[in-house]
Amino acid sequence: MVEDQQLFLNGMKALFREWPEMNFVFESPDGHSVLQRLSECETIPDVMLVDLTLPPKDRVEHSGWEVLKELKEHYPDMKVIILSVHDDEYLIAQMIELGAHGYLVKDSDPDEVRDAIHAVYDKGAYINTRTLDAIQGKMGGKVKTPKIHENLSRREVEVLQLICQQMTSEEIGEKLFISVKTVNGHRNNLLQKTGSRNVTGLVMYAVKHRLVEFV
């Protein structure tokens, strides 16, 4: 976790101790020292929870979105969940667009935090109702009507729609009667064809082009 509020950090660490499938391996009270601290870690986290509002150093801001950019550059396989007190749709959508794998408001239920960590680790993203509403709201007037995308095959569209339902590659393979290797091949093609960086990017693409509908 990257978190400057000690009380909140201690509360989260207490939760992690109750979740036997997880190990808490890293903490930083600010954004400035994250990369240095990670370079000294014996174990690199699979998932990082990053507070959006972090303290400046020598009047130089280093917020959660700057940490997000650094982690994406230096640790591209690490999944990042943004934590914030702000429940602003534009801000949520912006963080997802910048590459966050999930966004949680700090008053979230502990069970949702646990579910979010599992989702980004297992499926590459955590898209809850709040995040989905934010993405749809930000797309607003920029929504496009699909042609049925000449650059996407029908199978790729099917896989994309199931990814948006947060299915794993194994679950998609079982549903479409194809191998996990084939699913991953379609996923990689989707990332390349849509210019997306991760699963959340694919969700934004699908919403923008009306390839998926959420109730």
Side-chain angles (χ1 to χ4, degrees):
M1 287 190 67
V2 184
E3 171 63 58
D4 66 308
Q5 296 179 355
Q6 194 63 45
L7 186 62
F8 184 81
L9 176 63
N10 289 342
M12 288 299 302
K13 290 167 74 172
L15 285 176
F16 283 117
R17 286 193 289 270
E18 297 178 4
W19 299 336
E21 76 278 16
M22 299 184 193
N23 293 317
F24 188 90
V25 297
F26 176 87
E27 65 180 88
S28 177
D30 59 73
H32 296 276
S33 60
V34 169
L35 292 183
Q36 179 184 346
R37 287 169 181 261
L38 280 172
S39 70
E40 299 167 353
C41 270
E42 293 184 6
T43 303
I44 300 299
D46 296 301
V47 180
M48 186 80 81
L49 278 65
V50 179
D51 188 4
L52 184 59
T53 305
L54 294 168
K57 181 179 181 181
D58 299 327
R59 298 186 179 181
V60 177
E61 295 292 333
H62 206 98
S63 64
W65 75 268
E66 289 165 312
V67 174
L68 171 63
K69 289 193 296 182
E70 291 177 341
L71 292 176
K72 287 189 65 60
E73 178 181 354
H74 296 277
Y75 298 90
D77 294 331
M78 186 183 293
K79 305 299 189 295
V80 180
I81 298 174
I82 296 294
L83 297 171
S84 178
V85 296
H86 301 291
D87 188 12
D88 178 84
E89 285 194 353
Y90 183 84
L91 182 59
I92 295 171
Q94 186 179 41
M95 290 298 103
I96 297 299
E97 199 167 24
L98 287 171
H101 301 84
Y103 187 107
L104 290 173
V105 178
K106 283 190 171 182
D107 64 358
S108 298
D109 186 273
D111 287 338
E112 183 178 13
V113 177
R114 189 179 191 178
D115 289 344
I117 294 171
H118 277 286
V120 298
Y121 178 75
D122 294 328
K123 305 172 184 178
Y126 178 68
I127 307 295
N128 59 8
T129 302
R130 179 183 279 128
T131 303
L132 179 61
D133 288 344
I135 292 173
Q136 291 176 320
K138 192 172 189 295
M139 289 297 104
K142 297 188 290 185
V143 172
K144 297 181 180 179
T145 302
K147 294 179 178 179
I148 223 134
H149 294 216
E150 54 277 343
N151 61 328
L152 298 185
S153 69
R154 290 190 178 276
R155 178 62 87 187
E156 286 169 345
V157 172
E158 288 178 328
V159 171
L160 176 58
Q161 290 169 337
L162 295 176
I163 287 173
C164 289
Q165 295 177 32
Q166 295 199 271
M167 288 190 177
T168 64
S169 294
E170 289 77 11
E171 291 168 338
I172 294 172
E174 289 179 7
K175 187 169 183 66
L176 299 181
F177 302 102
I178 57 179
S179 69
V180 171
K181 182 178 179 180
T182 300
V183 174
N184 289 333
H186 288 314
R187 185 191 298 265
N188 290 335
N189 288 339
L190 285 165
L191 290 169
Q192 183 176 4
K193 289 182 178 182
T194 64
S196 301
R197 292 174 291 186
N198 52 35
V199 172
T200 52
L202 290 177
V203 173
M204 294 191 74
Y205 180 91
V207 171
K208 181 177 181 180
H209 293 274
R210 293 181 179 172
L211 293 174
V212 64
E213 292 184 1
F214 296 92
V215 179

